[in-house]
Amino acid sequence: IIFILLRRTILKEHKQIGVMKALGRNNWGIIKIYTFQFVLMGLLSSIAGCLLSLPVSKWLLTIFASMIEVPDLRADFNPLYWLITIGVSTIGCWIFSILSMLDILREYPYTSMSPRVPKISAKRRNSKVWKYVSFNTRYAFKTSLRNKGRFFLMILGIAASAALLVFSFGFNDSLKEVTNQYFRTFASYDLIIESQPQQLTDDLLEDTLIQKEDKALQMVTKVNGEEYSLIILDGQVDTLKLADEILREGIIIPEYYAEKWQVTVGDTIKIDNRSVKVSCILPLGMGLSIFTSYDYAESIFDDLPRVYNTLYVQSDRPEKLEQHLKNQNMVFTTANNDREMFRSLLDNMGILIIFLIICSVILGITVIMCMNLMNLTVREFEYMFMNIMGYSKRRILSAIGEETLLQLILAIPLGFFLGYQLLQAIKGEFSQNTFALYPIVSLKSYLISATIVFLMGSTRILLSNRYIEKLDIVEGLKVQED
């Protein structure tokens, strides 16, 4: 943005630069005149950003504190971070402002003082296809490719904005899919009850309140030095969608564990220094555990007691069963509790997602505005000439619109790809031994992102309309004659 803004300023004031050079001002003196304002801007804006980070940090930490309990979670002021931020911003503004002036400083005073005439590309044989294309379309294509640097910078800027939008919406979709996928494809229980170890032959609850139940022994094991939950199930399982024959053949692990341990079906891993076979891998995002049957566990672990401490329950009267468990002071959790917990998490994360969306929109509009101002400044003479030749403002804006459409067509797919890759890149940071995030972006999210990007692109037409209305053709012709 610094580069584009200063380039636009220099293109407008190239005559003054030529006069200064003719009067003996050296390049370093000219650089100091034009770069000082941008160095000062970098310094002041970075200080303002650091000051703004104080309330924003407190706000974000308040959101995180509502999601997870972390003792002594607070925002600490670190002067070193402020110095690094201010230094990088200020030095960056200085470097890019110098880079934007290099080519014009190499010019002779006469060249700098001369009018800027658009570059004329070498004549090429037009393809037969061009005969069937309107003038506006030909103009849009040729002006787009005349300056490839600005063209691709615009595409990258719009793609970055689209990528942030896809990432924001996709992150929300991925969190939603965790619970939806868990209860749709794996879990069908209403409650999970925890108790002291009971014999498998003993019943924990009366049959009148239970429709289906599965007894399980939940214990902690170690794999590669880390602790994991191992759930040993008895017989045919009804409340979890696990095939009995697969449970008897080995262990069933979530896909996240398989990626972490780099194993596949048929491989063996060591659990508590005992070799076990992986019989199945499940795409689970929550409730991550290692699953197996008593029959297979007894062949691995010596003297494994046939007891259970966890009960997965289906009930046609879950509310009454919950009340009964509360009266008995028993420890339990419900499927509805799990759903509510994730719904609360999504509500809190929604604020952060909105924050990301706002940032992506600001980025997109800023890039479009800066690049558009640069293009309008460079093509000012062209638009005046087209006006003189009888082209209406509507036709000129139509050409600009077609150029914008071409950039959007190229930028949006690139942004979608980059946004999904960004989501893939951060999934490990949001995954742990009990929870795993799998990137998913819904069609609705893609459509909303594309719509927002198209709306941002349309601002270019509005800005161009204002700029062209202010063009003074007579004054422009006088400047060209001078």
Side-chain angles (χ1 to χ4, degrees):
I1 293 170
I2 296 296
F3 180 85
I4 293 167
L5 288 175
L6 191 50
R7 284 290 297 170
R8 182 172 181 269
T9 302
I10 290 169
L11 285 171
K12 278 186 166 294
E13 300 183 7
H14 62 91
K15 280 193 175 184
Q16 291 90 319
I17 293 174
V19 170
M20 285 190 285
K21 293 172 80 171
L23 293 174
R25 173 79 71 167
N26 60 23
N27 287 343
W28 181 244
I30 298 172
I31 287 174
K32 285 196 290 186
I33 291 171
Y34 283 94
T35 59
F36 175 76
Q37 57 181 319
F38 289 97
V39 172
L40 183 64
M41 182 181 70
L43 177 64
L44 295 177
S45 60
S46 57
I47 292 173
C50 288
L51 291 172
L52 184 63
S53 72
L54 294 175
V56 171
S57 297
K58 289 181 180 179
W59 173 61
L60 292 176
L61 286 175
T62 302
I63 295 172
F64 282 122
S66 66
M67 292 187 289
I68 53 176
E69 292 185 9
V70 180
D72 300 325
L73 181 65
R74 64 181 183 275
D76 290 330
F77 169 75
N78 192 325
L80 179 62
Y81 294 160
W82 281 44
L83 289 174
I84 292 172
T85 302
I86 293 169
V88 169
S89 178
T90 305
I91 294 171
C93 290
W94 179 68
I95 290 173
F96 282 104
S97 60
I98 290 177
L99 290 175
S100 66
M101 300 185 69
L102 290 180
D103 59 343
I104 199 165
L105 291 177
R106 288 195 291 263
E107 295 178 349
Y108 290 108
Y110 170 77
T111 307
S112 297
M113 294 169 66
S114 301
R116 294 284 169 185
V117 179
K119 293 180 181 179
I120 300 174
S121 57
K123 279 191 174 183
R124 297 176 186 172
R125 289 186 61 187
N126 288 332
S127 169
K128 292 181 179 179
V129 177
W130 289 111
K131 295 179 180 179
Y132 304 100
V133 178
S134 67
F135 168 78
N136 278 356
T137 305
R138 292 200 302 270
Y139 177 77
F141 272 92
K142 292 189 177 182
T143 52
S144 297
L145 300 175
R146 190 195 314 160
N147 191 306
K148 297 179 179 65
R150 286 196 300 272
F151 181 74
F152 288 110
L153 276 175
M154 178 75 91
I155 289 175
L156 288 176
I158 297 173
S161 180
L164 276 176
L165 286 168
V166 168
F167 169 76
S168 304
F169 288 118
F171 188 74
N172 189 53
D173 291 339
S174 301
L175 286 175
K176 284 182 179 178
E177 185 61 19
V178 168
T179 50
N180 293 341
Q181 187 266 347
Y182 180 76
F183 288 104
R184 184 179 65 246
T185 64
F186 179 70
S188 57
Y189 61 82
D190 293 315
L191 299 95
I192 301 177
I193 305 169
E194 297 179 11
S195 70
Q196 294 298 320
Q198 309 280 333
Q199 293 295 323
L200 283 176
T201 54
D202 296 340
D203 293 327
L204 188 64
L205 298 171
E206 54 185 274
D207 294 339
T208 56
L209 297 174
I210 296 175
Q211 189 176 4
K212 293 178 182 178
E213 67 175 10
D214 289 308
K215 299 172 181 177
L217 175 62
Q218 187 168 336
M219 53 191 290
V220 177
T221 58
K222 283 192 175 182
V223 179
N224 298 331
E226 291 187 58
E227 292 187 346
Y228 295 87
S229 172
L230 172 65
I231 297 177
I232 304 172
L233 295 154
D234 179 39
Q236 183 66 39
V237 181
D238 296 315
T239 58
L240 301 175
K241 296 175 183 177
L242 297 170
D244 183 50
E245 58 273 13
I246 297 177
L247 283 170
R248 293 176 186 275
E249 291 175 3
I251 62 170
I252 298 175
I253 61 174
E255 191 175 309
Y256 173 69
Y257 290 178
E259 293 175 359
K260 187 175 181 179
W261 300 335
Q262 296 182 346
V263 296
T264 186
V265 175
D267 292 345
T268 59
I269 60 171
K270 284 190 176 290
I271 295 181
D272 292 339
N273 297 320
R274 296 172 175 84
S275 295
V276 296
K277 177 186 174 184
V278 177
S279 61
C280 183
I281 296 173
L282 295 176
L284 289 179
M286 62 180 285
L288 303 190
S289 297
I290 303 169
F291 301 93
T292 190
S293 66
Y294 275 96
D295 292 341
Y296 186 78
E298 286 174 339
S299 67
I300 302 300
F301 300 101
D302 299 328
D303 301 324
L304 180 72
R306 292 187 69 83
V307 297
Y308 70 95
N309 57 11
T310 305
L311 197 64
Y312 293 89
V313 177
Q314 280 185 5
S315 174
D316 52 359
R317 292 179 291 173
E319 295 83 5
K320 190 172 182 179
L321 179 57
E322 285 181 42
Q323 188 60 47
H324 175 74
L325 294 173
K326 288 177 183 177
N327 295 337
Q328 297 293 323
N329 294 321
M330 299 186 72
V331 179
F332 68 95
T333 183
T334 67
N336 288 333
N337 287 343
D338 292 337
R339 291 188 180 97
E340 284 298 324
M341 180 189 70
F342 264 84
R343 191 174 293 114
S344 175
L345 174 65
L346 284 172
D347 291 341
N348 290 318
M349 292 299 292
I351 301 172
L352 298 178
I353 290 165
I354 291 171
F355 183 73
L356 281 173
I357 292 170
I358 292 171
C359 290
S360 62
V361 171
I362 291 172
L363 170 66
I365 291 176
T366 303
V367 169
I368 290 170
M369 285 181 66
C370 290
M371 291 303 301
N372 190 51
L373 285 172
M374 184 70 180
N375 283 328
L376 291 170
T377 302
V378 172
R379 298 176 189 172
E380 191 175 66
F381 176 77
E382 290 181 30
Y383 297 143
M384 288 182 183
F385 183 76
M386 291 170 73
N387 262 320
I388 295 168
M389 295 297 294
Y391 287 94
S392 64
K393 185 180 70 175
R394 184 182 62 80
R395 293 186 66 185
I396 297 173
L397 291 175
S398 175
I400 295 173
E402 290 185 21
E403 182 183 352
T404 305
L405 181 62
L406 174 63
Q407 291 167 336
L408 289 172
I409 290 171
L410 296 174
I412 289 176
L414 176 61
F416 286 176
F417 172 77
L418 293 175
Y420 186 79
Q421 292 305 312
L422 181 60
L423 202 57
Q424 285 276 8
I426 61 96
K427 71 174 184 179
E429 304 299 324
F430 286 87
S431 301
Q432 50 187 336
N433 291 345
T434 56
F435 175 83
L437 182 73
Y438 291 99
I440 291 174
V441 185
S442 66
L443 177 61
K444 180 182 177 182
S445 295
Y446 280 123
L447 292 175
I448 293 174
S449 300
T451 302
I452 293 173
V453 173
F454 267 104
L455 290 174
M456 288 191 295
S458 65
T459 59
R460 184 182 178 187
I461 308 297
L462 299 176
L463 293 170
S464 301
N465 180 53
R466 252 184 103 185
Y467 188 89
I468 293 171
E469 277 184 347
K470 293 180 180 179
L471 288 179
D472 191 335
I473 299 175
V474 177
E475 188 64 29
L477 291 174
K478 286 181 180 178
V479 170
Q480 293 302 319
E481 288 176 2
D482 291 342

